[in-house]
Amino acid sequence: MLSKLKLSILIGSFLILAALPMVAESEMIDEPFYIDLMARVMIFSIAAMSLDFILGYGAMISFGHALYLGLGTYAVGIMAHYELTNGWMQLLVCISGTAFIAFILGLISLRTSGIYFIMITFALAQMFYFLGISLEAFGGDDGLPIDTRSEFFSFFDLNETWNMYYLILGTLVVAALVLWKIINSRFGMVVRGSHSNDARMQAIGFPTFKYRLAAFVIAGVVCGLAGFLLGNLTEFLTPEYMHWFRSGELMIMVMVGGMGTLFGPLFGAFAYLMMEDFLANFTEYWQFYFGPILILLVLFAKQGLWGMLPGKEDISDE
Amino acid sequence: MSEPLLKVEQLCKSFGGVVATDNLDFDVMPGEIHAVIGPNGAGKTTFVAQIAGMLKSDSGSITFDGNDIAGKTAPERSHMGLARSFQITSVFKNFTALENVALSIQAHAGHSFKFWKRASGDKTLIEPAQKILDDVGLGDKALNLAGNLAHGQQRQLEIAMALATSPKMLLLDEPTAGMGTEESEIMRKFLNDLKGDYSMLLIEHDMDTVFSLADRVTVLVYGRGIATGTPKEIRNNAEVRSAYLGEDE
């Protein structure tokens, strides 16, 4: 259960996000740039949250999660390239494609655990990265512009900044709600239990593998949706999103926000991207300053920013 | 004479050059408590792991309730009515006692691909779980985190979780491990109350527990069963005394 404080912060944040476009475009502020920035933050929030779903609750430390972000952008980009711009069709391809690939990769990687799982998810994602680089038809490592954004309804044109923004916000809210429900469902209890003690779960009668695999697929699909939005927002397709560096960034967002606290990574993504934006104003070597901050956070706030708030989250134990 | 509930024949398991289970024959009759004792490294825990399905046997057969279970996985054996407890306490520490037992019940209440309804508010899981906790005397601890319970209570919870799977037989791996005299006494009484309702394979170091509870005792040394008999016979067996009991006395 969430404490009242955390619930208020969460709802408050969503309300602020909902009001942001109006404020940013008002005459007083007039910084429409913030809309774009926050849209990006929200997309990475979705991706980080989906990673936390398997990493924090299921102890599946995927070091290749950004792969699904990339796959989502490729789904939009490749279809747009062939002038298949129907949003529903793109969405269907995106969901079934990421689900299929997550299923196959999960089938392989979930046979291992610990450091081997980390390495195998890393290696499999890198394979796709290099595949992306070698696909000259879609720009190779230069990437490819996406000329047309997804078309859903005639009255809901994604070329309108506000429409794009609210589509992302809506996806974020729905994803957060759905994942929260899943974590507390029977299914979620199985995933969390196998994090805590997989042998014990099997002894009381759970064939845990298929539940872990299903969780892995769910996380992949949600991250794929983030990629779908990212492709539309940036109007650009690039293998760079599948690179392990991106997967590492997602992990940092999870850690900064708080592992095993589903909503923490929303703030982790915000903090990370803001910090990047802020520090990059002063120096090209912003990571030099970001490093110590991350170390302090990991040392002194094991459950990240969200964990600093009072009210204990009922997360799976080590 | 009825058929044994569990029948193990010529069971073998070795790890590299180390033979952990050596042509072991063993059986448990319905309602019986059959204890396995032996010095450290005798292969007791390996034996339990083989029966529970966590370790694959090299050869030999395991028959449970008339079915050959050698090829079955641990969850499948759980569904057939075999429940095990662990030597090292392995309750889910960050779940409440109630959630621990509810999870056991959930494992036997159909598949768990149920994504929406809140599990901890599910009466079909919570009510029977509470009843089992009441039965084992942990009813008032239901909402405590399992990790915050006393060691002896965690061990009891562990057995409550096994009971929640409606087993035919309990595999208990040192239920009194790490307990003081007083806690051991409570556990002994607790197991004695279960006697008759469940068949048990009891691995135990504590001789008082073994000799007061068991109907039969098998002595395991280097993976071999060197003797099987009533507690009285075992106590008076010269080979056993030199191999094992002698060291203690």
Side-chain angles (χ1 to χ4, degrees):
Chain A
M1 286 297 251
L2 281 181
S3 67
K4 275 210 174 110
L5 174 68
K6 285 178 177 175
L7 192 64
S8 325
I9 289 177
L10 195 64
I11 293 175
S13 307
F14 285 145
L15 290 178
I16 291 172
L17 284 172
L20 184 105
M22 281 165 259
V23 178
E25 285 191 357
S26 68
E27 280 179 28
M28 239 172 65
I29 312 271
D30 196 26
E31 290 275 12
F33 156 76
Y34 285 125
I35 303 179
D36 219 46
L37 180 66
M38 284 316 290
R40 246 180 100 76
V41 166
M42 288 192 289
I43 288 173
F44 279 95
S45 293
I46 299 171
M49 195 168 58
S50 73
L51 175 61
D52 191 30
F53 177 67
I54 49 173
L55 191 155
Y57 290 93
M60 293 173 248
I61 306 172
S62 170
F63 196 14
H65 201 61
L67 163 64
Y68 303 99
L69 200 60
L71 289 176
T73 63
Y74 268 81
V76 181
I78 292 177
M79 288 181 78
H81 184 66
Y82 293 110
E83 285 167 17
L84 298 164
T85 53
N86 181 308
W88 302 108
M89 217 162 72
Q90 289 180 341
L91 204 54
L92 185 72
V93 169
C94 173
I95 290 174
S96 50
T98 45
F100 176 73
I101 288 174
F103 179 80
I104 300 294
L105 300 193
L107 218 48
I108 301 167
S109 51
L110 285 172
R111 302 203 173 274
T112 63
S113 61
I115 186 80
Y116 302 102
F117 182 79
I118 300 175
M119 282 298 117
I120 203 163
T121 49
F122 164 83
L124 290 169
Q126 281 300 94
M127 279 170 57
F128 279 86
Y129 167 71
F130 286 111
L131 179 68
I133 283 187
S134 65
L135 285 176
E136 289 299 334
F138 307 114
D141 57 356
D142 290 333
L144 195 69
I146 299 174
D147 298 328
T148 323
R149 286 182 171 175
S150 303
E151 289 161 357
F152 286 100
F153 301 106
S154 53
F155 60 86
F156 191 76
D157 184 355
L158 286 186
N159 291 310
E160 298 283 340
T161 313
W162 283 35
N163 286 350
M164 188 68 224
Y165 180 89
Y166 283 111
L167 175 67
I168 294 170
L169 176 60
T171 310
L172 171 65
V173 172
V174 171
L177 184 71
V178 168
L179 289 179
W180 179 249
K181 289 297 279 184
I182 293 178
I183 280 167
N184 290 294
S185 70
R186 287 193 183 199
F187 177 82
M189 292 300 280
V190 178
V191 172
R192 290 156 66 191
S194 79
H195 171 182
S196 178
N197 190 337
D198 196 58
R200 182 60 165 152
M201 287 298 281
Q202 300 210 20
I204 61 176
F206 286 110
T208 48
F209 182 81
K210 60 183 183 184
Y211 294 102
R212 289 159 59 81
L213 180 58
F216 191 79
V217 171
I218 292 170
V221 169
V222 174
C223 194
L225 287 176
F228 178 87
L229 297 170
L230 189 63
N232 271 303
L233 181 74
T234 58
E235 299 180 316
F236 201 73
L237 165 165
T238 162
E240 191 261 339
Y241 284 123
M242 299 191 277
H243 193 261
W244 67 266
F245 181 73
R246 288 285 173 184
S247 297
E249 278 188 327
L250 289 181
M251 282 174 119
I252 292 173
M253 290 171 190
V254 170
M255 274 186 274
V256 169
M259 252 188 288
T261 68
L262 186 64
F263 305 120
L266 308 186
F267 299 93
F270 177 78
Y272 181 84
L273 293 172
M274 285 313 200
M275 197 84 82
E276 175 177 11
D277 197 60
F278 174 74
L279 290 175
N281 281 333
F282 299 102
T283 166
E284 199 181 324
Y285 307 106
W286 64 275
Q287 280 138 329
F288 181 80
Y289 298 95
F290 184 72
I293 297 175
L294 185 64
I295 291 172
L296 287 176
L297 258 174
V298 171
L299 282 180
F300 296 108
K302 280 213 171 120
Q303 273 197 23
L305 297 172
W306 193 250
M308 287 177 178
L309 298 171
K312 200 177 157 6
E313 198 108 342
D314 52 347
I315 65 144
S316 318
D317 52 352
E318 291 305 310
Chain B
M1 181 98 179
S2 56
E3 282 290 299
L5 182 62
L6 176 76
K7 193 169 171 63
V8 173
E9 287 171 300
Q10 295 295 305
L11 198 66
C12 292
K13 177 76 195 176
S14 44
F15 300 99
V18 182
V19 180
T21 311
D22 191 358
N23 288 306
L24 191 61
D25 290 320
F26 185 86
D27 61 48
V28 180
M29 303 304 291
E32 181 191 37
I33 297 184
H34 191 158
V36 175
I37 61 173
N40 283 327
K44 303 185 295 290
T45 294
T46 303
F47 180 50
V48 170
Q50 280 174 281
I51 296 175
M54 270 132 208
L55 273 179
K56 227 179 152 60
S57 304
D58 296 341
S59 63
S61 77
I62 306 172
T63 313
F64 178 69
D65 205 13
N67 299 300
D68 178 10
I69 60 168
K72 303 267 189 230
T73 64
E76 282 167 345
R77 294 182 200 197
S78 163
H79 283 272
M80 296 173 81
L82 259 176
R84 82 167 283 193
S85 75
F86 288 77
Q87 181 180 5
I88 298 158
T89 309
S90 56
V91 295
F92 303 107
K93 290 195 169 120
N94 265 32
F95 288 165
T96 63
L98 190 65
E99 282 172 328
N100 269 277
V101 181
L103 206 51
S104 271
I105 291 172
Q106 184 189 325
H108 293 258
H111 68 78
S112 286
F113 286 104
K114 293 176 179 147
F115 298 97
W116 202 250
K117 212 169 125 191
R118 197 177 165 79
S120 58
D122 191 335
K123 284 206 172 68
T124 59
L125 301 177
I126 296 305
E127 281 173 1
Q130 181 67 49
K131 194 182 169 306
I132 288 169
L133 281 178
D134 290 339
D135 288 349
V136 304
L138 290 174
D140 56 335
K141 305 280 183 217
L143 298 180
N144 293 32
L145 286 183
N148 294 344
L149 296 177
H151 178 71
Q153 292 171 331
Q154 290 194 20
R155 310 252 20 167
Q156 258 172 298
L157 176 60
E158 172 112 32
I159 295 174
M161 290 169 71
L163 294 178
T165 65
S166 328
K168 297 190 177 92
M169 181 173 170
L170 297 171
L171 305 172
L172 303 176
D173 195 355
E174 296 201 28
T176 67
M179 284 187 176
T181 348
E182 207 171 309
E183 282 183 327
S184 294
E185 184 56 43
I186 295 172
M187 177 57 81
R188 199 143 56 223
K189 213 174 149 296
F190 175 59
L191 292 177
N192 201 40
D193 289 343
L194 296 176
K195 193 172 173 174
D197 295 339
Y198 301 95
S199 311
M200 295 184 212
L201 191 173
L202 175 69
I203 304 270
E204 192 49 80
H205 256 310
D206 184 72
M207 287 308 131
D208 291 339
T209 306
V210 170
F211 289 128
S212 68
L213 284 177
D215 299 302
R216 273 193 300 164
V217 179
T218 289
V219 183
L220 210 61
V221 177
Y222 295 121
R224 272 174 178 281
I226 60 165
T228 298
T230 63
K232 202 171 165 208
E233 287 164 5
I234 293 298
R235 230 194 283 252
N236 298 327
N237 184 310
E239 196 183 352
V240 173
R241 292 185 78 92
S242 69
Y244 181 43
L245 295 178
E247 294 175 355
D248 283 342
E249 285 161 17

